[in-house]
Amino acid sequence: MSLFIHVPWLLCVFQCWGAVISGSIPVLHGEVQSPGYPAPYPPSLHEIWDLLVPQGYTLNLTFTNIDIELSEDCYYDSIMVMFGKRFLGRFCGRNHVSKGDRPGKYSIMSPGNNLRLVFKTDSSSPGSHRYSGFSAIYQAVDINECTTEFDKGYMCHHFCSNTLGGFVCSCRHGYQLQPDNSTCFPVDCGFPVPKNGTLRVVSKIPKTLYQNEIQFGCESKYYRLEGDDVYRCEAQGYWRSLNGSRNLPKCVEGIVNLLY
Ligand SMILES: *[C@@H]1O[C@H](CO)[C@@H](O)[C@H](O)[C@H]1NC(C)=O
Ligand SMILES: *[C@@H]1O[C@H](CO)[C@@H](O)[C@H](O)[C@H]1NC(C)=O
Ligand SMILES: *[C@@H]1O[C@H](CO)[C@@H](O)[C@H](O)[C@H]1NC(C)=O
Ligand SMILES: *[C@@H]1O[C@H](CO)[C@@H](O)[C@H](O)[C@H]1NC(C)=O
């Protein structure tokens, strides 16, 4: 019974979601104009455009023309630019775009990857003068996530490379990027396990990370170490002696080891 009740509701949810998503597919650039532009706009409009660019980009909106009935505080007719609930601008008149202006002067950078435009006109006929409305273009501008003001040094532990729509972290030599794709941890060579029982690590507190060194010795004073005794953890994740050997030393019966 309860399933029977819930199924139509679930369908509605999915359909509503579908409608919202398909109505706002992110694009890299686009154009918005008032209805019928550049023909005069009609009265009693309340038009909304939700502009969306992909994640990792910000939206740069540029008005190429504004010709809207002027009123105090743009009370009657206006084009409003909003980011969520924040007002970024409200325009009317012709004062915002004049012939001598450099292109791009009336640009608004969204703090995020979307902007909402709301075009409102009142019910009164604009009289003898007719206004053409507005025309704007917008484009996605890649965010450089690696700049200090954006990153604040926390996004990548070591190195940050900006990519279109994102960024990639990398690590210094001898360090490995962790599964979080951001943190770097030194390469760990692991504890070397001598194949022969007589060989042992004699370092007091052996550390096994990149550039740590460990020292080998023999269990018994009746054995002596053949080969190098100090090995260092390499960036590639293996132990190598200071002489360059990757084979562990051997303990051989013979001359008394002077260490003991
Ligand atoms: C925004 O777009 C305008 C017009 O294309 C351009 O002149 C301006 O430099 C852009 N601003 C940024 C920050 O990309
Ligand atoms: C790290 O990057 C890989 C490959 O780019 C990706 O598959 C994985 O989901 C990322 N992990 C996290 C935690 O973002
Ligand atoms: C390692 O180098 C030292 C001095 O450079 C040398 O005395 C020793 O014999 C070398 N050990 C091996 C195994 O080559
Ligand atoms: C292991 O130790 C024995 C002595 O117990 C020695 O004769 C032999 O050579 C060692 N082997 C290796 C691989 O170190």
Side-chain angles (χ1 to χ4, degrees):
M1 188 60 197
S2 85
L3 184 69
F4 189 75
I5 290 165
H6 281 104
V7 165
W9 182 81
L10 280 174
L11 281 176
C12 171
V13 167
F14 288 128
Q15 277 170 0
C16 292
W17 264 109
V20 169
I21 292 164
S22 67
S24 46
I25 293 167
V27 293
L28 287 173
H29 55 85
E31 202 174 355
V32 203
Q33 294 175 334
S34 51
Y37 182 90
Y41 58 77
S44 304
L45 285 179
H46 189 259
E47 295 272 332
I48 296 174
W49 293 265
D50 282 315
L51 313 182
L52 185 67
V53 296
Q55 285 285 338
Y57 293 83
T58 50
L59 197 157
N60 176 16
L61 175 80
T62 303
F63 284 104
T64 50
N65 189 24
I66 296 178
D67 179 24
I68 296 173
E69 184 186 6
L70 182 66
S71 56
E72 197 174 339
D73 293 331
C74 303
Y75 183 77
Y76 295 119
D77 294 354
S78 70
I79 175 74
M80 258 182 328
V81 184
M82 299 175 72
F83 175 69
K85 288 187 168 141
R86 259 165 73 187
F87 277 86
L88 301 184
R90 180 181 207 145
F91 305 104
C92 62
R94 288 197 54 100
N95 50 329
H96 291 289
V97 185
S98 66
K99 280 208 172 79
D101 285 333
R102 282 177 289 114
K105 186 171 174 192
Y106 292 102
S107 289
I108 296 178
M109 247 356 218
S110 170
N113 68 331
N114 59 83
L115 275 185
R116 171 171 280 197
L117 295 187
V118 182
F119 185 47
K120 259 177 33 185
T121 66
D122 68 351
S123 58
S124 72
S125 167
S128 59
H129 188 104
R130 313 295 300 275
Y131 304 92
S132 59
F134 76 92
S135 164
I137 53 169
Y138 63 99
Q139 63 198 126
V141 176
D142 178 48
I143 301 173
N144 185 350
E145 291 89 350
C146 300
T147 58
T148 45
E149 69 260 36
F150 193 92
D151 179 4
K152 295 178 188 73
Y154 297 122
M155 268 173 39
C156 289
H157 196 174
H158 287 176
F159 305 123
C160 182
S161 315
N162 185 46
T163 61
L164 277 181
F167 66 99
V168 177
C169 297
S170 56
C171 301
R172 284 198 289 271
H173 189 65
Y175 288 76
Q176 258 177 339
L177 194 63
Q178 298 303 292
D180 66 3
N181 291 341
S182 149
T183 314
C184 296
F185 200 76
V187 165
D188 191 342
C189 288
F191 197 78
V193 185
K195 288 200 185 84
N196 204 309
T198 52
L199 182 68
R200 67 186 183 101
V201 173
V202 298
S203 309
K204 286 219 171 63
I205 307 163
K207 293 184 189 145
T208 61
L209 303 182
Y210 174 56
Q211 283 189 327
N212 286 156
E213 288 180 0
I214 56 169
Q215 192 175 13
F216 288 101
C218 296
E219 287 283 356
S220 155
K221 62 179 179 179
Y222 301 111
Y223 289 85
R224 80 182 157 80
L225 199 69
E226 194 180 84
D228 304 329
D229 61 340
V230 177
Y231 282 65
R232 181 182 289 157
C233 177
E234 297 292 330
Q236 293 80 4
Y238 52 72
W239 292 100
R240 189 157 69 170
S241 78
L242 301 188
N243 283 19
S245 169
R246 285 180 61 180
N247 297 321
L248 295 188
K250 287 178 190 170
C251 287
V252 293
E253 267 179 287
I255 303 156
V256 171
N257 190 328
L258 292 175
L259 274 173
Y260 294 87

